[in-house]
Amino acid sequence: MNIGESIFQAFDSVRTNKLRTFLTLLSISIGVFAIIGAGSLVDSINGSVFSEMEALGRNSFFIYRVPALNMGHNWRKYRKRKPITYSVLKELKKNMTLAEFVTAQGYSFGTTIEYGENETDPDVGLIGADENFFTAQNVSINKGRPFTQEDIDYNRSFAVIGNDIVVKLFPNIDPIAKKIKIKNHSYTVIGVLESKGAVLGESQDNRVIIPLTEFLKYYASLWEYDLFITIKSQDYESLNDAIDESIGIMRSVRNLKPWQENDFEVETNESLTEQFASFTDFLSYFGAFSGIIALIAAGVGIMNIMLVSVKERTREIGIRKAVGAKRRWILTQFIIEAITLCQIGGLIGIIMGIVASAFFGSLMSIKLVLPYSWVIFSIIICTLLGIIFGAYPAWKAAKLDPIDALRYE
Amino acid sequence: MELKEENRNGTTLIEIEHIAKIYRMGTEYVHALRDITLQINKNDYLAIMGPSGSGKSTLMNIIGCLDTPTKGKYLFKEMDVSEMTDNDLASIRNKEIGFVFQTFNLLSRSTSLKNVELPLIYGGFGASARHEKAMKAMENVGLGDRVNHKPNELSGGQRQRVAVARALVTEPSIILADEPTGNLDSKTGLEIMNLFNELWKAGNTIIVVTHEEEVARFAKRIIKLRDGLIEHDSVNHHQRALTEEAQP
Ligand SMILES: Nc1ncnc2c1ncn2[C@@H]1O[C@H](COP(=O)(O)OP(=O)(O)OP(=O)(O)O)[C@@H](O)[C@H]1O
Ligand SMILES: [Mg+2]
């Protein structure tokens, strides 16, 4: 079968019917873009949020200022709430009796680390952590030591670095007690993390940890300034008691009168995970649905282009039939052409989708996860689109009478 | 009746019995062919003549399995064509018939070599066999040095020779040419007829539809059609033979 020729022909029809083909390919691209964009974003959220939530286990809960998935209403009420500051975190730590630990952290992606003349690529994850971070995240130290509470309280310029940073900046030197620079602030390396290798092609060692207080001072983006506090109760049975205890402490720290509502949110890991899951499900279904609508519209366009192409090439079809092309050859040729057209549009959409989700991911400080399954889904959808909407024009071409086709002017 | 004798020797290629082709135009019927009975043997060189509208092309298309008769019987190598499916017809066209058209009918976007390869693609030949056969056919028609030219980069005569190469490449049982010189000047037309002459001498069976006495003179046998009937079928005693003579 002459697939190459059919593919070439598809490119040719892009060239000869520029505007119409462009518009159709655009709508395919938009459709695929919606699918990939939503899929990629969802996968990225799942990757960074869920893995963390799951790691914490069932007996964790969170305290934060405004609902994570606030869909617009009550915005005014939430906006007036006081921020949850580092001192709130300290009060909780001091007064909680039913907690295994109380912790909070901040993330910022895409930082450059310097040491002497050398510097890393601007892709290092910067984490602001307290002394409980290492237990809560199950991160162990390979060399040196983790932070202590004093390091955090006194805002010491210390850093614990991941193995990628060691490889990059300290190839043959012991990094401990060396001074690294982040955005003109200087930090003394006090520890090196145990190497965790890569997950899904993403290195887990390309990070630097500094005290949370220091992080909040210099690196937190606006909405990260509010702490998202994680508390783990000693066991699942005491979870509710621990929640009650924390609410009591929060109310007194924030001077709430008995008749006033809580001016913060408390949510367990389980329920928050569920909320996130339903949100991300919604997002991916919404993306897939609107994408498919756009693709169906595009399919009609593809059909139109193919019908025009069949008409313009009637003589060619006649020639092919005259020299012995069977119906199914002509059918396959035109269907391959339709599929190729769809794939061109799809490829553009995939690229657009990945670029856009990378952009939004970086806005939301989430690492991009390449949505392989959505890419494959899009390729399959584009193929189906070509087959479904190419079928009718291809069938029209295939059943042309050779004499009529040859005589066509 | 020398033709009948040859038939008994088993060299009959085509047997057409009482064929008619009727087109319906609204309420009118057009009898393109009324009642044609015809036998064509291996290595025949037949010219079909007749006024415009007499049914020459219609007959040619039926012989070439591009079209099917409304009535009558058509046996190609003793196979009943009137009973065949579309796929069978395509397969006969591919393997048994080489068509040469007045308007060349080449794929304008493909090189001449690709054009010649086209029937081989549908015949299921692999790329290297295709290339080899197509090259040979192009050399046969004297265009070995024009294989990478596209039709619009060739002269009319060269285009028609590419079309002849395409017709030859599958080594068909018969070559059909519908006014092959109609779009060429007389000198180039003569070149093409020369080519047919050589093919005929090499053992090919050839049918040419033409208006021109000049062209028909090359044939061994001449049929005259009028109003969808054979008016005249005779051996051409003035067959203009040879390449030497044809050369300017
Ligand atoms: N598809 C068709 N529909 C209706 N009538 C047709 C069709 N094809 C041919 N005819 C008619 O059949 C008759 C024979 O046509 P044909 O093309 O065979 O003539 P011809 O001898 O080849 O003429 P010319 O020398 O002009 O090429 C003509 O009257 C023509 O109008
Ligand atoms: Mg004609």
Side-chain angles (χ1 to χ4, degrees), chain A residues 75-88:
Chain A
W75 179 242
R76 205 175 287 245
K77 171 176 118 190
Y78 297 131
R79 202 180 51 184
K80 278 192 278 181
R81 290 177 169 180
K82 285 183 286 184
I84 295 182
T85 57
Y86 180 68
S87 64
V88 175

Side-chain angles (χ1 to χ4, degrees), chain A residues 43-319:
Chain A
D43 286 359
S44 303
I45 290 173
N46 288 353
S48 37
V49 178
F50 281 140
S51 61
E52 223 163 83
M53 286 178 155
E54 269 155 26
L56 285 167
R58 286 202 304 167
N59 47 338
S60 297
F61 62 98
F62 312 102
I63 295 174
Y64 48 96
R65 191 174 73 117
V66 295
L69 302 170
N70 171 36
M71 291 297 191
H73 41 103
N74 286 336
W75 179 242
R76 205 175 287 245
K77 171 176 118 190
Y78 297 131
R79 202 180 51 184
K80 278 192 278 181
R81 290 177 169 180
K82 285 183 286 184
I84 295 182
T85 57
Y86 180 68
S87 64
V88 175
L89 177 70
K90 270 190 77 175
E91 286 300 317
L92 281 167
K93 279 181 182 171
K94 200 164 76 190
N95 298 312
M96 285 290 293
T97 57
L98 297 172
E100 190 183 318
F101 59 73
V102 179
T103 185
Q105 62 237 220
Y107 293 97
S108 163
F109 287 104
T111 313
T112 304
I113 313 293
E114 292 169 59
Y115 173 66
E117 298 290 289
N118 298 328
E119 60 176 39
T120 64
D121 291 333
D123 63 353
V124 178
L126 184 66
I127 299 173
D130 64 358
E131 71 284 2
N132 290 331
F133 171 84
F134 301 90
T135 336
Q137 299 284 318
N138 198 15
V139 174
S140 19
I141 297 286
N142 182 25
K143 193 189 258 181
R145 64 169 183 86
F147 298 143
T148 62
Q149 201 189 328
E150 285 79 43
D151 293 338
I152 313 297
D153 283 351
Y154 298 127
N155 201 4
R156 287 175 181 151
S157 298
F158 286 167
V160 175
I161 61 178
N163 200 42
D164 287 1
I165 316 298
V166 177
V167 171
K168 186 95 188 187
L169 299 182
F170 303 98
N172 298 308
I173 327 164
D174 180 7
I176 303 293
K178 300 291 184 305
K179 277 190 166 24
I180 57 171
K181 258 176 143 183
I182 308 169
K183 289 189 189 151
N184 290 325
H185 304 294
S186 186
Y187 298 89
T188 309
V189 177
I190 60 163
V192 175
L193 295 172
E194 187 92 51
S195 177
K196 279 191 164 179
V199 173
L200 288 171
E202 284 283 349
S203 173
Q204 302 296 297
D205 300 328
N206 193 22
R207 34 157 111 167
V208 166
I209 303 170
I210 58 171
L212 179 60
T213 41
E214 185 72 15
F215 181 88
L216 292 174
K217 210 157 126 195
Y218 295 119
Y219 310 103
S221 52
L222 266 176
W223 53 84
E224 279 168 328
Y225 196 76
D226 256 311
L227 289 180
F228 187 94
I229 295 174
T230 304
I231 301 173
K232 189 170 187 179
S233 64
Q234 270 138 9
D235 46 46
Y236 190 56
E237 282 65 46
S238 61
L239 177 63
N240 284 329
D241 294 340
I243 291 175
D244 289 344
E245 188 184 23
S246 72
I247 291 174
I249 296 166
M250 283 299 288
R251 290 185 65 90
S252 84
V253 167
R254 288 159 86 84
N255 295 321
L256 294 180
K257 304 283 182 298
W259 59 88
Q260 284 177 301
E261 287 188 332
N262 289 344
D263 62 350
F264 51 88
E265 302 291 317
V266 181
E267 204 77 61
T268 64
N269 193 18
E270 270 179 319
S271 73
L272 203 61
T273 307
E274 271 164 31
Q275 280 182 34
F276 252 106
S278 67
F279 170 68
T280 53
D281 280 356
F282 166 77
L283 207 61
S284 48
Y285 287 130
F286 179 75
F289 179 76
S290 45
I292 283 168
I293 296 288
L295 286 177
I296 288 172
V300 175
I302 286 286
M303 185 151 86
N304 186 281
I305 287 176
M306 294 303 296
L307 282 172
V308 170
S309 171
V310 167
K311 196 158 184 104
E312 281 170 352
R313 285 155 62 202
T314 302
R315 239 183 128 80
E316 175 198 322
I317 296 162
I319 294 171

Side-chain angles (χ1 to χ4, degrees), chain B residues 56-58 178-179 209:
Chain B
K56 304 182 297 292
S57 295
T58 308
D178 193 348
E179 309 210 26
V209 165

Side-chain angles (χ1 to χ4, degrees), chain B residues 45 100-101 104 141 143 155-165 177 179-182 184-199 206 208 215 218 246:
Chain B
Y45 189 169
V100 179
F101 302 91
F104 320 131
V141 299
L143 286 179
S155 73
Q158 287 169 332
R159 285 183 218 181
Q160 196 60 302
R161 278 196 270 167
V162 173
V164 173
E179 309 210 26
T181 62
L184 303 174
D185 62 47
S186 54
K187 180 170 162 283
T188 347
L190 217 55
E191 275 172 36
I192 294 295
M193 293 320 292
N194 242 327
L195 199 55
F196 281 132
N197 223 337
E198 278 166 26
L199 293 171
I206 297 170
V208 180
V215 170
F218 284 88

Side-chain angles (χ1 to χ4, degrees), chain A residues 12 315 320-321 323 327, chain B residues 86 93-94 105 109 122:
Chain A
D12 205 61
R315 239 183 128 80
R320 290 177 184 277
K321 291 197 138 193
V323 302
R327 282 188 180 181
Chain B
D86 256 25
R93 288 199 295 273
N94 185 244
N105 279 335
R109 273 186 285 249
Y122 299 125

Side-chain angles (χ1 to χ4, degrees), chain A residues 404 407, chain B residues 23 25 30 32 50-59 179 211:
Chain A
D404 292 343
R407 223 180 259 149
Chain B
Y23 292 106
M25 307 279 289
V30 180
S52 186
S54 58
K56 304 182 297 292
S57 295
T58 308
L59 179 59
E179 309 210 26
H211 277 118

